[in-house]
Amino acid sequence: MPYTVHWTTPSGASSEAHPLGLRAAERAMTFANLGAANVYVETSDGRVFRAPAEMSELVRQAEDADSCGHA
């Protein structure tokens, strides 16, 4: 399942795509720890997981989806 990480910095909003939820969660946490605002991961089916609060839930759901070949 594709995942898109979104974040906002003083220079504006940005995003990047990742095929695996674990990697998307890692990147979201990196941006949140660097001080970016409005950091979240959106799944291809429209679910939104906010960083850092909802990253553990994203990882749990992504493990199932990614391991089943939905990546």
Side-chain angles (χ1 to χ4, degrees):
M1 169 185 304
Y3 302 85
T4 305
V5 181
H6 300 268
W7 69 95
T8 303
T9 64
S11 61
S14 297
S15 66
E16 63 183 33
H18 294 279
L20 298 174
L22 180 58
R23 182 66 179 140
E26 290 172 343
R27 292 295 287 164
M29 289 302 296
T30 297
F31 292 124
N33 288 333
L34 290 173
N38 195 32
V39 181
Y40 64 95
V41 176
E42 184 176 12
T43 65
S44 61
D45 61 4
R47 291 179 290 162
V48 172
F49 297 88
R50 302 259 172 221
E54 298 174 333
M55 289 301 99
S56 60
E57 180 64 25
L58 170 62
V59 169
R60 276 193 297 277
Q61 291 190 20
E63 285 175 342
D64 293 336
D66 295 348
S67 68
C68 291
H70 296 115

